[in-house]
């Protein structure tokens, strides 16, 4: 019998976009049961949110501190096991740190923390507690993104030479934070979001995707960072040249002022023998391009793809799997690893394929380095952590 993991949530109450996405992702494979939560910093709103979600009133808390303290007092077979944290950036570090120290495994929305300093401190907490940690860089959950990573790792494309990654959005083309748009208000507020706007919100996704697919690490960058919409406090547009640790070069751009664009994140990777291309608008398709023969089209659900792509596919070929399923792959892989840890067993490599603390640290380092480069007169700066 499959025993569901007991899940708690911090944040994600009424009106929150990403909280609902996390809950859907957790439900898709039946690996979790939501048993408790502190869904808002407002106790009454948390209570109302808990009622709407069908959570027992005694396990709906007014703060994350109360959640941890009271859940820890419950018998081991009743208390929460995994905490999902879906708060704004400035409320990532303390709830995550406390959750790990109280003995719970944690799933955290990206970017990992408010600053690189916090990210480095959190890495020490993960290492000292031995608890498992997942960072929800969603796009790594797509089967064809995992296939792209495996193709690069296999060496079939040869040594990687060039990487292009982009994330265009248009939803902040006007001064949305001046109205009732809650998402725009906190994401463009340096007190809640940190030192970056677009580069922190979606630039980190592009950066993570580039390093995940190629297996390379950025060692230098040269950035141009812009505030396009008048009155905005954080960047809403930017681009960066990248240099990787194998000698390859790359280009990354992320913008939230590309009017008419939605969320078509895209990556192209080119090696000595061939290249590949994936974009979210056609998520089931991976184009594999060769130097001396026609382009091949890989499709989700095909029997010819790697075990990593197959493991993260739920439906037969031709049935679209999208953002929610990619999100759910992170939740399922994490659940399988937690269950293996509980049993004292070794997790399979396919299960361990989810973003963790190192990706979080590098993401925060990207934010601080790309903003520093944008402010600098130097052509290139070293990527430092």
């Amino acid at each position: 019998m499959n025993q569901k993991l007991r899940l708690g949530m911090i944040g994600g109450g009424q009106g929150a976009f990403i909280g609902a996405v996390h809950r859907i992702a957790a439900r898709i494979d039946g690996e979790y049961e939501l048993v408790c939560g502190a869904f808002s910093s407002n106790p009454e709103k948390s209570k109302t949110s808990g009622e709407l979600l069908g959570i027992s009133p005694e396990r709906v808390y007014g703060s994350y501190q109360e959640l941890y303290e009271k859940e820890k007092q419950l018998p081991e077979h009743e208390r929460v096991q995994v905490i999902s944290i879906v708060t704004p950036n400035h409320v990532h570090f303390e709830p995550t740190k406390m959750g790990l120290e109280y003995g719970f495994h944690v799933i955290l929305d990206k970017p990992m923390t408010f600053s690189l300093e916090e990210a480095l401190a959190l890495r020490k907490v993960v290492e000292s507690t031995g608890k498992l940690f997942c960072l929800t860089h969603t796009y790594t959950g797509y089967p064809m993104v995992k296939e792209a990573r495996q193709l690069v790792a296999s060496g079939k494309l040869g040594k990687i030479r060039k990487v292009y990654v982009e994330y265009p959005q248009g939803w902040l083309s006007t001064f949305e934070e001046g109205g009732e748009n809650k998402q725009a208000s906190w994401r463009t507020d340096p007190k809640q979001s940190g030192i970056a706007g677009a580069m922190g919100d979606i630039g980190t996704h592009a950066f993570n995707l580039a390093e995940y697919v190629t297996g390379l690490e950025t060692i230098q960058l040269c950035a141009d960072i812009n505030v396009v919409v008048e009155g905005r406090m954080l960047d809403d547009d930017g681009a960066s040249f990248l240099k990787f640790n194998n000698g390859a070069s790359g280009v990354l751009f992320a913008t939230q002022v590309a009017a008419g664009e939605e969320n078509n994140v895209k990556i192209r990777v080119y090696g000595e023998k061939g290249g590949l291309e994936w974009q979210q608008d056609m998520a089931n398709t991976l184009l594999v391009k060769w130097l001396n023969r026609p382009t091949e089209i890989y499709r989700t659900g095909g029997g010819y793809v790697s075990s990593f792509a197959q493991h993260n596919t739920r439906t037969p070929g031709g049935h679209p799997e999208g953002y929610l399923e990619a999100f759910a792959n992170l939740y399922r892989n994490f659940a399988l690893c937690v269950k293996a840890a509980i049993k004292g067993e070794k997790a399979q490599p396919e299960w361990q394929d989810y973003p963790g603390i190192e990706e979080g640290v590098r993401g925060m380092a990207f934010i601080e380095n790309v903003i520093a480069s944008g402010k600098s007169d130097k052509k290139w700066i070293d990527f430092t952590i």
Side-chain angles (χ1 to χ4, degrees):
M1 180 179 178
N2 181 35
Q3 189 70 35
K4 292 185 178 182
L5 293 171
R6 295 180 294 278
L7 180 70
M9 180 167 281
I10 295 171
Q14 284 179 288
F17 152 67
I18 204 65
V21 170
H22 278 257
R23 289 190 291 270
I24 292 169
R27 290 198 302 267
I28 283 179
D29 296 294
E31 296 287 354
Y32 301 86
E33 179 184 5
L34 185 63
V35 298
C36 68
F39 300 103
S40 173
S41 56
N42 180 321
E44 284 303 312
K45 188 174 181 180
S46 180
K47 179 181 177 181
T48 302
S49 298
E51 289 175 354
L52 292 172
L53 293 169
I55 308 299
S56 298
E58 66 272 14
R59 297 185 76 177
V60 179
Y61 303 104
S63 69
Y64 68 82
Q65 294 94 335
E66 182 187 11
L67 183 154
Y68 290 138
E69 290 167 3
K70 291 190 174 179
E71 286 293 319
K72 189 67 174 178
Q73 295 172 13
L74 294 175
E76 188 175 355
H77 68 279
E78 292 181 16
R79 77 173 70 119
V80 69
Q81 296 167 292
V82 178
I83 303 294
S84 174
I85 299 174
V86 293
T87 52
N89 302 354
H90 71 298
V91 195
H92 279 189
F93 176 72
E94 288 295 343
T96 303
K97 178 178 181 291
M98 190 172 181
L100 293 166
E101 290 176 340
Y102 267 64
F104 304 119
H105 305 288
V106 174
I107 299 171
L108 177 63
D109 202 47
K110 49 57 59 190
M112 189 166 73
T113 50
F114 188 74
S115 66
L116 177 58
E117 181 182 6
E118 287 185 348
L120 293 171
L122 193 58
R123 180 166 65 182
K124 292 181 179 178
V125 176
V126 171
E127 292 170 349
S128 65
T129 61
K131 293 301 172 181
L132 298 183
F133 173 83
C134 174
L135 187 69
T136 54
H137 273 298
T138 320
Y139 307 104
T140 64
Y142 279 102
M144 288 297 96
V145 171
K146 294 189 177 299
E147 183 67 10
R149 175 180 168 88
Q150 293 304 311
L151 279 170
V152 172
S154 73
K156 292 180 180 178
L157 303 183
K159 181 182 177 181
I160 299 306
R161 293 171 164 172
K162 198 74 181 179
V163 181
Y164 296 93
V165 62
E166 61 188 66
Y167 200 149
Q169 290 179 339
W171 73 291
L172 288 178
S173 291
T174 58
F175 194 71
E176 291 292 323
E177 58 267 46
E180 299 298 320
N181 191 322
K182 182 179 178 181
Q183 292 293 320
S185 295
W186 80 257
R187 292 178 192 275
T188 59
D189 180 0
K191 293 180 181 179
Q192 298 183 73
S193 187
I195 63 171
M199 279 296 172
D201 190 16
I202 59 175
T204 49
H205 274 310
F207 174 78
N208 173 257
L209 192 60
E211 293 203 335
Y212 176 79
V213 170
T214 65
L216 302 175
E217 290 188 350
T218 305
I219 59 170
Q220 287 186 309
L221 53 77
C222 174
D224 174 47
I225 304 298
N226 305 299
V227 177
V228 175
V229 174
E230 186 176 354
R232 183 157 289 155
M233 292 185 287
L234 292 173
D235 60 285
D236 49 21
D237 171 78
S240 179
F241 292 116
L242 307 173
K243 289 185 179 179
F244 296 96
N245 58 342
N246 77 330
S249 61
V251 180
L252 179 155
F253 89 76
T255 182
Q256 294 175 316
V257 294
E261 290 288 353
E262 295 177 338
N263 287 277
N264 191 23
V265 57
K266 178 178 179 180
I267 184 168
R268 290 172 288 164
V269 177
Y270 299 97
E272 296 169 312
K273 302 175 184 178
L276 56 82
E277 178 179 330
W278 178 87
Q279 58 183 321
Q280 186 170 230
D281 272 5
M282 298 188 295
N284 273 28
T285 297
L286 174 68
L287 299 181
V288 184
K289 306 175 181 183
W290 301 108
L291 186 62
N292 296 313
R293 64 179 191 266
T295 295
E296 296 176 353
I297 300 174
Y298 285 34
R299 294 280 290 167
T300 298
Y304 44 81
V305 298
S306 67
S307 63
F308 286 80
Q310 291 179 18
H311 169 69
N312 290 280
T313 301
R314 295 174 177 77
T315 57
H319 295 280
E321 295 193 28
Y323 177 80
L324 294 174
E325 290 87 351
F327 223 114
N329 285 335
L330 305 186
Y331 265 84
R332 180 179 61 169
N333 288 342
F334 189 70
L336 293 173
C337 288
V338 170
K339 289 182 176 182
I342 291 171
K343 296 175 183 177
E345 299 173 354
K346 185 178 181 179
Q348 296 180 14
E350 290 84 355
W351 304 352
Q352 298 177 55
D353 187 17
Y354 60 83
I357 192 70
E358 292 305 322
E359 288 83 356
V361 169
R362 291 194 63 78
M364 292 310 304
F366 167 75
I367 290 172
E368 299 211 357
N369 280 283
V370 83
I371 296 301
S373 176
K375 294 179 178 179
S376 173
D377 292 332
K378 292 179 64 177
K379 183 176 180 181
W380 290 94
I381 70 167
D382 291 336
F383 188 95
T384 57
I385 296 179

